[in-house]
Amino acid sequence: MRMTRRLKPSRVVNIADLRQIAQRRVPKAVFDYLDGGAEAEVTLRENCRAFEAITFRPRHAIAVGECDLRTRVLGTEISFPAMLAPVGYSRLMHPGGEIAAARAAGEAGTGYTLSTISGHKMEDVKAGTKGFAWYQLYLVGGREVAEGAIERARKAGFSALVITIDTPVAGMRERDPRNGMSELMTGSVFAKLPFLPELCTHPGWLTSFLLDGGVPKLENVVVPGQGGMPMTDVGTALRRSVVTWEDIRWIRKSWTGPIVIKGILTGDDARRAVDEGAAAISVSNHGGRQLDGVAASIRALPEVVAAVNGRVEVLMDGGVRRGSDIVKAICLGARAVLIGRAYAYGLAAAGHAGVTRALEILREDVERTLRLLGCASVGQLDASYLQCP
């Protein structure tokens, strides 16, 4: 009941409010892992600032009756043009982790994407949602392990495979080493000692973390004869797991469903992804967590949309904090957006209830924005509603 009161619309008005609650609830190492970006965090800030630089051109004196927010992604209808992006280590933010987030997505009428770097088994995640789910594949553990995960995803009912191509190494997220993220995840007891006082200042999180069994294994990276791979820091987990265009070819032979290529920022890579058989691509700079100094995703979106020329669906992620951001992305050619931090703040703040509130906020924002634009449906949005720098 207390958590429900804390998330009331009068108290949690926007995603920034959920961020503040998350920052109070979880230790600094966990919050900064979620909140931070690579190096000087230039791209992290630009992802949001670029949306602010785009202004609307509304049509006034128009009576908008029923507002249709629905769209279709890879043949499946979603209630409004946003899905949940893959977020690693979700179980560290809240014990419900991926299951709680997937459940909230299904209840909201949209889809969820499960990261390879997750603490709950993919079968439990898929069973926990009444919506559809995609599986994001990293080649952690090698090809044999990846092929096992692909087969499990198929049997569990995941409808698409997401291949992230922008992680040849993990970006240098400078907050993490300062906070001892690696030591907390993988180090000895003695290595953890300098960082324990900070954990103890968050007794609610610490109690739930310990009751949940502590640092979970990577339940979807099953090494033959060893079981789930121990949870590691991002750099260790992604090392030697570079995805190349050649890898996508053998993945296509193992996976008969649609493939989404995530991490596209240029027209050339977009065309290559189409040539390699992608059914959709996501314009993404990994939330500013990989190569710092690249373009904001919303800036790269028009080039990619023009390059694919309608041959595949285009999604976008990075910097989305408001429903108006979602509307701007749709106007510039995205079919839908993938939201990451926006829902992860809610997860860290209050588990399932927090993700639910995040999705409510964004959906209400989208509808309000359409009505203020004088537009009756998502399908009618185009670039004429925007003034871009």
Side-chain angles (χ1 to χ4, degrees):
M1 182 64 69
R2 180 183 176 188
M3 183 175 292
T4 302
R5 288 200 303 269
R6 190 172 65 177
L7 295 177
K8 286 196 309 183
S10 60
R11 296 191 178 191
V12 179
V13 176
N14 56 27
I15 300 301
D17 291 339
L18 287 171
R19 180 182 180 273
Q20 289 180 351
I21 298 172
Q23 189 170 18
R24 292 194 297 268
R25 180 184 171 270
V26 303
K28 182 174 175 59
V30 176
F31 178 78
D32 278 356
Y33 166 77
L34 160 60
D35 190 61
E39 299 180 32
E41 300 187 345
V42 173
T43 298
L44 174 67
R45 293 189 297 272
E46 183 64 13
N47 270 347
C48 295
R49 198 201 68 78
F51 276 111
E52 296 172 355
I54 299 171
T55 55
F56 286 117
R57 301 178 68 248
R59 279 72 155 156
H60 290 151
I62 295 176
V64 176
E66 191 70 21
C67 209
D68 187 1
L69 307 185
R70 297 170 298 171
T71 191
R72 299 185 73 84
V73 177
L74 295 183
T76 301
E77 184 177 278
I78 55 178
S79 62
F80 77 115
M83 292 177 53
L84 270 57
V87 173
Y89 295 154
S90 292
R91 196 167 180 173
L92 293 180
M93 300 166 197
H94 190 279
E98 299 85 12
I99 295 176
R103 176 184 161 206
E107 292 168 347
T110 190
Y112 172 77
T113 311
L114 176 65
S115 171
T116 295
I117 313 299
S118 57
H120 284 290
K121 293 181 180 179
M122 66 173 75
E123 292 83 358
D124 296 337
V125 175
K126 183 63 184 70
T129 178
K130 61 182 181 182
F132 68 97
W134 297 350
Y135 183 66
Q136 180 215 30
L137 180 72
Y138 284 126
L139 302 186
V140 177
R143 179 167 172 172
E144 181 182 3
V145 172
E147 288 177 335
I150 291 172
E151 179 61 15
R152 284 177 63 193
R154 184 189 65 78
K155 289 181 178 178
F158 286 80
S159 57
L161 203 62
V162 179
I163 311 297
T164 301
I165 63 171
D166 61 1
T167 52
V169 295
M172 179 51 179
R173 299 158 200 171
E174 296 179 2
R175 300 193 204 186
D176 291 349
R178 293 192 180 107
N179 293 330
M181 188 67 171
S182 178
E183 289 83 356
L184 291 170
M185 298 290 286
T186 64
S188 67
V189 173
F190 292 105
K192 290 179 171 65
L193 285 177
F195 308 101
L196 291 181
E198 164 63 18
L199 299 185
C200 293
T201 62
H202 298 80
W205 175 89
L206 183 58
T207 299
S208 64
F209 173 73
L210 294 175
L211 289 175
D212 193 43
V215 178
K217 291 184 176 181
L218 296 177
E219 293 286 1
N220 301 311
V221 184
V222 178
V223 180
Q226 299 180 31
M229 182 181 289
M231 186 75 85
T232 61
D233 67 278
V234 171
T236 301
L238 297 180
R239 196 169 295 129
R240 299 177 183 173
S241 62
V242 180
V243 175
T244 67
W245 296 113
E246 288 72 23
D247 290 316
I248 291 172
R249 291 169 195 158
W250 68 255
I251 290 170
R252 283 179 58 202
K253 295 177 182 178
S254 299
W255 175 263
T256 57
I259 290 177
V260 181
I261 305 296
K262 183 176 182 293
I264 300 290
L265 287 173
T266 66
D268 288 341
D269 274 353
R271 285 184 285 268
R272 182 66 182 269
V274 174
D275 292 343
E276 295 295 344
I281 59 178
S282 184
V283 179
S284 170
N285 54 38
H286 216 110
R289 296 167 66 81
Q290 284 299 104
L291 177 61
D292 198 22
V294 298
S297 297
I298 193 67
R299 296 271 196 231
L301 178 60
E303 177 185 339
V304 172
V305 169
V308 303
N309 195 27
R311 290 178 290 170
V312 300
E313 296 175 13
V314 178
L315 310 172
M316 194 222 76
D317 65 83
V320 176
R321 301 292 186 273
R322 295 184 178 273
S324 57
D325 298 337
I326 297 173
V327 172
K328 290 173 182 178
I330 305 307
C331 287
L332 290 177
R335 177 67 61 90
V337 303
L338 299 173
I339 57 170
R341 286 185 181 89
Y343 87 82
Y345 290 138
L347 180 67
H352 167 263
V355 180
T356 297
R357 182 66 190 129
L359 288 167
E360 288 173 351
I361 289 168
L362 293 173
R363 192 183 192 285
E364 290 165 4
D365 281 358
V366 169
E367 180 169 358
R368 184 186 311 109
T369 301
L370 258 66
R371 291 184 179 280
L372 290 170
L373 283 174
C375 182
S377 75
V378 164
Q380 295 175 13
L381 292 170
D382 58 33
S384 68
Y385 285 95
L386 300 181
Q387 179 67 50
C388 297

mmCIF file of all heavy atoms in Angstrom, residues 214-246:
data_model
loop_
_atom_site.group_PDB
_atom_site.id
_atom_site.type_symbol
_atom_site.label_atom_id
_atom_site.label_comp_id
_atom_site.label_asym_id
_atom_site.label_seq_id
_atom_site.Cartn_x
_atom_site.Cartn_y
_atom_site.Cartn_z
ATOM 1 N N GLY A 214 21.498 -12.814 -3.481
ATOM 2 C CA GLY A 214 22.711 -12.102 -3.848
ATOM 3 C C GLY A 214 22.879 -11.982 -5.350
ATOM 4 O O GLY A 214 21.902 -11.998 -6.106
ATOM 5 N N VAL A 215 24.119 -11.876 -5.794
ATOM 6 C CA VAL A 215 24.391 -11.697 -7.223
ATOM 7 C C VAL A 215 23.936 -12.941 -7.992
ATOM 8 O O VAL A 215 24.428 -14.040 -7.743
ATOM 9 C CB VAL A 215 25.893 -11.459 -7.475
ATOM 10 C CG1 VAL A 215 26.168 -11.327 -8.969
ATOM 11 C CG2 VAL A 215 26.359 -10.199 -6.745
ATOM 12 N N PRO A 216 22.983 -12.796 -8.916
ATOM 13 C CA PRO A 216 22.482 -13.964 -9.639
ATOM 14 C C PRO A 216 23.432 -14.405 -10.748
ATOM 15 O O PRO A 216 24.332 -13.667 -11.155
ATOM 16 C CB PRO A 216 21.166 -13.457 -10.238
ATOM 17 C CG PRO A 216 21.415 -11.998 -10.463
ATOM 18 C CD PRO A 216 22.313 -11.550 -9.337
ATOM 19 N N LYS A 217 23.206 -15.612 -11.233
ATOM 20 C CA LYS A 217 23.939 -16.087 -12.404
ATOM 21 C C LYS A 217 23.272 -15.569 -13.674
ATOM 22 O O LYS A 217 22.131 -15.101 -13.654
ATOM 23 C CB LYS A 217 23.964 -17.621 -12.427
ATOM 24 C CG LYS A 217 24.810 -18.257 -11.341
ATOM 25 C CD LYS A 217 24.848 -19.773 -11.516
ATOM 26 C CE LYS A 217 25.774 -20.413 -10.480
ATOM 27 N NZ LYS A 217 25.857 -21.886 -10.651
ATOM 28 N N LEU A 218 24.010 -15.672 -14.772
ATOM 29 C CA LEU A 218 23.427 -15.367 -16.077
ATOM 30 C C LEU A 218 22.632 -16.600 -16.510
ATOM 31 O O LEU A 218 23.172 -17.527 -17.120
ATOM 32 C CB LEU A 218 24.514 -15.020 -17.092
ATOM 33 C CG LEU A 218 25.328 -13.760 -16.801
ATOM 34 C CD1 LEU A 218 26.417 -13.571 -17.859
ATOM 35 C CD2 LEU A 218 24.446 -12.539 -16.733
ATOM 36 N N GLU A 219 21.353 -16.616 -16.174
ATOM 37 C CA GLU A 219 20.535 -17.809 -16.349
ATOM 38 C C GLU A 219 20.331 -18.205 -17.807
ATOM 39 O O GLU A 219 19.929 -19.336 -18.096
ATOM 40 C CB GLU A 219 19.167 -17.601 -15.686
ATOM 41 C CG GLU A 219 19.215 -17.484 -14.171
ATOM 42 C CD GLU A 219 19.467 -18.831 -13.494
ATOM 43 O OE1 GLU A 219 19.617 -19.836 -14.191
ATOM 44 O OE2 GLU A 219 19.492 -18.857 -12.251
ATOM 45 N N ASN A 220 20.619 -17.299 -18.726
ATOM 46 C CA ASN A 220 20.408 -17.598 -20.145
ATOM 47 C C ASN A 220 21.707 -17.775 -20.917
ATOM 48 O O ASN A 220 21.703 -17.868 -22.139
ATOM 49 C CB ASN A 220 19.544 -16.501 -20.771
ATOM 50 C CG ASN A 220 18.206 -16.393 -20.064
ATOM 51 O OD1 ASN A 220 17.527 -17.392 -19.858
ATOM 52 N ND2 ASN A 220 17.845 -15.196 -19.643
ATOM 53 N N VAL A 221 22.824 -17.826 -20.168
ATOM 54 C CA VAL A 221 24.118 -18.158 -20.761
ATOM 55 C C VAL A 221 24.561 -19.463 -20.109
ATOM 56 O O VAL A 221 25.282 -19.472 -19.111
ATOM 57 C CB VAL A 221 25.151 -17.041 -20.526
ATOM 58 C CG1 VAL A 221 26.463 -17.374 -21.230
ATOM 59 C CG2 VAL A 221 24.616 -15.699 -21.018
ATOM 60 N N VAL A 222 24.087 -20.561 -20.653
ATOM 61 C CA VAL A 222 24.309 -21.877 -20.047
ATOM 62 C C VAL A 222 25.482 -22.554 -20.737
ATOM 63 O O VAL A 222 25.402 -22.933 -21.911
ATOM 64 C CB VAL A 222 23.045 -22.746 -20.143
ATOM 65 C CG1 VAL A 222 23.307 -24.127 -19.546
ATOM 66 C CG2 VAL A 222 21.882 -22.076 -19.419
ATOM 67 N N VAL A 223 26.563 -22.699 -20.004
ATOM 68 C CA VAL A 223 27.763 -23.359 -20.514
ATOM 69 C C VAL A 223 27.622 -24.860 -20.277
ATOM 70 O O VAL A 223 27.339 -25.283 -19.148
ATOM 71 C CB VAL A 223 29.026 -22.828 -19.811
ATOM 72 C CG1 VAL A 223 30.271 -23.517 -20.348
ATOM 73 C CG2 VAL A 223 29.119 -21.319 -19.968
ATOM 74 N N PRO A 224 27.783 -25.698 -21.310
ATOM 75 C CA PRO A 224 27.638 -27.149 -21.130
ATOM 76 C C PRO A 224 28.491 -27.674 -19.988
ATOM 77 O O PRO A 224 29.688 -27.395 -19.901
ATOM 78 C CB PRO A 224 28.098 -27.709 -22.487
ATOM 79 C CG PRO A 224 27.802 -26.609 -23.465
ATOM 80 C CD PRO A 224 28.065 -25.338 -22.720
ATOM 81 N N GLY A 225 27.868 -28.407 -19.089
ATOM 82 C CA GLY A 225 28.567 -28.999 -17.965
ATOM 83 C C GLY A 225 28.777 -28.075 -16.782
ATOM 84 O O GLY A 225 29.233 -28.507 -15.729
ATOM 85 N N GLN A 226 28.414 -26.780 -16.949
ATOM 86 C CA GLN A 226 28.631 -25.817 -15.872
ATOM 87 C C GLN A 226 27.358 -25.115 -15.408
ATOM 88 O O GLN A 226 27.311 -24.580 -14.314
ATOM 89 C CB GLN A 226 29.632 -24.743 -16.330
ATOM 90 C CG GLN A 226 31.005 -25.287 -16.685
ATOM 91 C CD GLN A 226 31.947 -24.172 -17.125
ATOM 92 O OE1 GLN A 226 31.850 -23.038 -16.679
ATOM 93 N NE2 GLN A 226 32.869 -24.506 -18.018
ATOM 94 N N GLY A 227 26.326 -25.103 -16.238
ATOM 95 C CA GLY A 227 25.113 -24.378 -15.901
ATOM 96 C C GLY A 227 25.249 -22.907 -16.221
ATOM 97 O O GLY A 227 26.077 -22.497 -17.041
ATOM 98 N N GLY A 228 24.421 -22.069 -15.552
ATOM 99 C CA GLY A 228 24.437 -20.641 -15.808
ATOM 100 C C GLY A 228 25.771 -20.010 -15.498
ATOM 101 O O GLY A 228 26.394 -20.290 -14.478
ATOM 102 N N MET A 229 26.236 -19.152 -16.394
ATOM 103 C CA MET A 229 27.516 -18.474 -16.198
ATOM 104 C C MET A 229 27.419 -17.507 -15.025
ATOM 105 O O MET A 229 26.403 -16.827 -14.869
ATOM 106 C CB MET A 229 27.884 -17.712 -17.476
ATOM 107 C CG MET A 229 29.218 -16.994 -17.421
ATOM 108 S SD MET A 229 29.559 -16.093 -18.967
ATOM 109 C CE MET A 229 29.889 -17.467 -20.083
ATOM 110 N N PRO A 230 28.438 -17.444 -14.173
ATOM 111 C CA PRO A 230 28.406 -16.481 -13.068
ATOM 112 C C PRO A 230 28.251 -15.058 -13.584
ATOM 113 O O PRO A 230 28.808 -14.692 -14.622
ATOM 114 C CB PRO A 230 29.756 -16.676 -12.380
ATOM 115 C CG PRO A 230 30.169 -18.068 -12.750
ATOM 116 C CD PRO A 230 29.640 -18.289 -14.141
ATOM 117 N N MET A 231 27.467 -14.263 -12.864
ATOM 118 C CA MET A 231 27.297 -12.865 -13.236
ATOM 119 C C MET A 231 28.636 -12.151 -13.128
ATOM 120 O O MET A 231 29.363 -12.300 -12.145
ATOM 121 C CB MET A 231 26.284 -12.200 -12.303
ATOM 122 C CG MET A 231 25.919 -10.783 -12.688
ATOM 123 S SD MET A 231 24.818 -10.674 -14.115
ATOM 124 C CE MET A 231 23.218 -10.862 -13.318
ATOM 125 N N THR A 232 28.964 -11.387 -14.156
ATOM 126 C CA THR A 232 30.234 -10.678 -14.183
ATOM 127 C C THR A 232 29.985 -9.223 -14.514
ATOM 128 O O THR A 232 28.859 -8.816 -14.805
ATOM 129 C CB THR A 232 31.172 -11.278 -15.243
ATOM 130 O OG1 THR A 232 30.549 -11.150 -16.529
ATOM 131 C CG2 THR A 232 31.462 -12.732 -14.960
ATOM 132 N N ASP A 233 31.035 -8.416 -14.489
ATOM 133 C CA ASP A 233 30.872 -7.047 -14.946
ATOM 134 C C ASP A 233 30.697 -7.043 -16.457
ATOM 135 O O ASP A 233 31.014 -8.019 -17.156
ATOM 136 C CB ASP A 233 32.072 -6.196 -14.535
ATOM 137 C CG ASP A 233 33.345 -6.605 -15.257
ATOM 138 O OD1 ASP A 233 33.999 -7.577 -14.817
ATOM 139 O OD2 ASP A 233 33.665 -5.964 -16.260
ATOM 140 N N VAL A 234 30.165 -5.934 -16.975
ATOM 141 C CA VAL A 234 29.831 -5.864 -18.396
ATOM 142 C C VAL A 234 31.048 -6.129 -19.274
ATOM 143 O O VAL A 234 30.967 -6.866 -20.260
ATOM 144 C CB VAL A 234 29.219 -4.485 -18.729
ATOM 145 C CG1 VAL A 234 29.070 -4.312 -20.237
ATOM 146 C CG2 VAL A 234 27.867 -4.347 -18.061
ATOM 147 N N GLY A 235 32.194 -5.538 -18.929
ATOM 148 C CA GLY A 235 33.385 -5.708 -19.755
ATOM 149 C C GLY A 235 33.786 -7.155 -19.901
ATOM 150 O O GLY A 235 34.114 -7.632 -20.989
ATOM 151 N N THR A 236 33.774 -7.883 -18.782
ATOM 152 C CA THR A 236 34.140 -9.298 -18.827
ATOM 153 C C THR A 236 33.122 -10.097 -19.622
ATOM 154 O O THR A 236 33.478 -10.974 -20.415
ATOM 155 C CB THR A 236 34.248 -9.862 -17.403
ATOM 156 O OG1 THR A 236 35.238 -9.115 -16.682
ATOM 157 C CG2 THR A 236 34.644 -11.327 -17.418
ATOM 158 N N ALA A 237 31.837 -9.805 -19.411
ATOM 159 C CA ALA A 237 30.787 -10.573 -20.074
ATOM 160 C C ALA A 237 30.825 -10.426 -21.587
ATOM 161 O O ALA A 237 30.533 -11.378 -22.319
ATOM 162 C CB ALA A 237 29.412 -10.134 -19.541
ATOM 163 N N LEU A 238 31.178 -9.226 -22.070
ATOM 164 C CA LEU A 238 31.122 -8.980 -23.512
ATOM 165 C C LEU A 238 32.450 -9.212 -24.225
ATOM 166 O O LEU A 238 32.489 -9.249 -25.450
ATOM 167 C CB LEU A 238 30.663 -7.539 -23.764
ATOM 168 C CG LEU A 238 29.254 -7.205 -23.276
ATOM 169 C CD1 LEU A 238 28.931 -5.754 -23.577
ATOM 170 C CD2 LEU A 238 28.223 -8.119 -23.916
ATOM 171 N N ARG A 239 33.515 -9.404 -23.465
ATOM 172 C CA ARG A 239 34.811 -9.608 -24.094
ATOM 173 C C ARG A 239 34.793 -10.880 -24.945
ATOM 174 O O ARG A 239 34.257 -11.904 -24.556
ATOM 175 C CB ARG A 239 35.891 -9.705 -23.016
ATOM 176 C CG ARG A 239 37.305 -9.537 -23.539
ATOM 177 C CD ARG A 239 38.271 -9.366 -22.381
ATOM 178 N NE ARG A 239 38.017 -8.122 -21.653
ATOM 179 C CZ ARG A 239 37.870 -8.047 -20.335
ATOM 180 N NH1 ARG A 239 37.930 -9.135 -19.592
ATOM 181 N NH2 ARG A 239 37.649 -6.883 -19.770
ATOM 182 N N ARG A 240 35.365 -10.805 -26.106
ATOM 183 C CA ARG A 240 35.429 -11.929 -27.057
ATOM 184 C C ARG A 240 34.048 -12.373 -27.537
ATOM 185 O O ARG A 240 33.845 -13.538 -27.889
ATOM 186 C CB ARG A 240 36.157 -13.129 -26.422
ATOM 187 C CG ARG A 240 37.605 -12.831 -26.031
ATOM 188 C CD ARG A 240 38.237 -14.020 -25.348
ATOM 189 N NE ARG A 240 39.595 -13.723 -24.908
ATOM 190 C CZ ARG A 240 40.335 -14.537 -24.166
ATOM 191 N NH1 ARG A 240 39.844 -15.708 -23.794
ATOM 192 N NH2 ARG A 240 41.536 -14.187 -23.813
ATOM 193 N N SER A 241 33.098 -11.454 -27.548
ATOM 194 C CA SER A 241 31.761 -11.811 -28.043
ATOM 195 C C SER A 241 31.319 -10.844 -29.132
ATOM 196 O O SER A 241 30.158 -10.508 -29.254
ATOM 197 C CB SER A 241 30.756 -11.807 -26.892
ATOM 198 O OG SER A 241 30.647 -10.523 -26.313
ATOM 199 N N VAL A 242 32.284 -10.380 -29.928
ATOM 200 C CA VAL A 242 31.987 -9.430 -30.992
ATOM 201 C C VAL A 242 31.067 -10.068 -32.023
ATOM 202 O O VAL A 242 31.283 -11.195 -32.465
ATOM 203 C CB VAL A 242 33.286 -8.968 -31.687
ATOM 204 C CG1 VAL A 242 32.981 -7.971 -32.790
ATOM 205 C CG2 VAL A 242 34.241 -8.367 -30.668
ATOM 206 N N VAL A 243 30.026 -9.338 -32.415
ATOM 207 C CA VAL A 243 29.118 -9.804 -33.464
ATOM 208 C C VAL A 243 29.546 -9.175 -34.785
ATOM 209 O O VAL A 243 29.699 -7.953 -34.885
ATOM 210 C CB VAL A 243 27.664 -9.419 -33.141
ATOM 211 C CG1 VAL A 243 26.746 -9.810 -34.294
ATOM 212 C CG2 VAL A 243 27.197 -10.082 -31.858
ATOM 213 N N THR A 244 29.735 -10.001 -35.804
ATOM 214 C CA THR A 244 30.076 -9.524 -37.142
ATOM 215 C C THR A 244 28.939 -9.858 -38.096
ATOM 216 O O THR A 244 28.030 -10.628 -37.765
ATOM 217 C CB THR A 244 31.368 -10.185 -37.645
ATOM 218 O OG1 THR A 244 31.123 -11.599 -37.835
ATOM 219 C CG2 THR A 244 32.507 -10.004 -36.645
ATOM 220 N N TRP A 245 29.007 -9.299 -39.303
ATOM 221 C CA TRP A 245 27.984 -9.616 -40.307
ATOM 222 C C TRP A 245 28.014 -11.097 -40.642
ATOM 223 O O TRP A 245 26.969 -11.696 -40.928
ATOM 224 C CB TRP A 245 28.212 -8.772 -41.565
ATOM 225 C CG TRP A 245 28.049 -7.308 -41.346
ATOM 226 C CD1 TRP A 245 29.020 -6.346 -41.412
ATOM 227 C CD2 TRP A 245 26.845 -6.611 -40.997
ATOM 228 N NE1 TRP A 245 28.501 -5.108 -41.130
ATOM 229 C CE2 TRP A 245 27.166 -5.233 -40.877
ATOM 230 C CE3 TRP A 245 25.530 -7.012 -40.778
ATOM 231 C CZ2 TRP A 245 26.212 -4.266 -40.545
ATOM 232 C CZ3 TRP A 245 24.572 -6.052 -40.443
ATOM 233 C CH2 TRP A 245 24.916 -4.699 -40.336
ATOM 234 N N GLU A 246 29.185 -11.724 -40.582
ATOM 235 C CA GLU A 246 29.267 -13.173 -40.831
ATOM 236 C C GLU A 246 28.506 -13.948 -39.757
ATOM 237 O O GLU A 246 27.867 -14.967 -40.047
ATOM 238 C CB GLU A 246 30.731 -13.611 -40.864
ATOM 239 C CG GLU A 246 31.509 -13.167 -42.095
ATOM 240 C CD GLU A 246 31.812 -11.672 -42.105
ATOM 241 O OE1 GLU A 246 31.827 -11.069 -41.004
ATOM 242 O OE2 GLU A 246 31.994 -11.114 -43.199
#
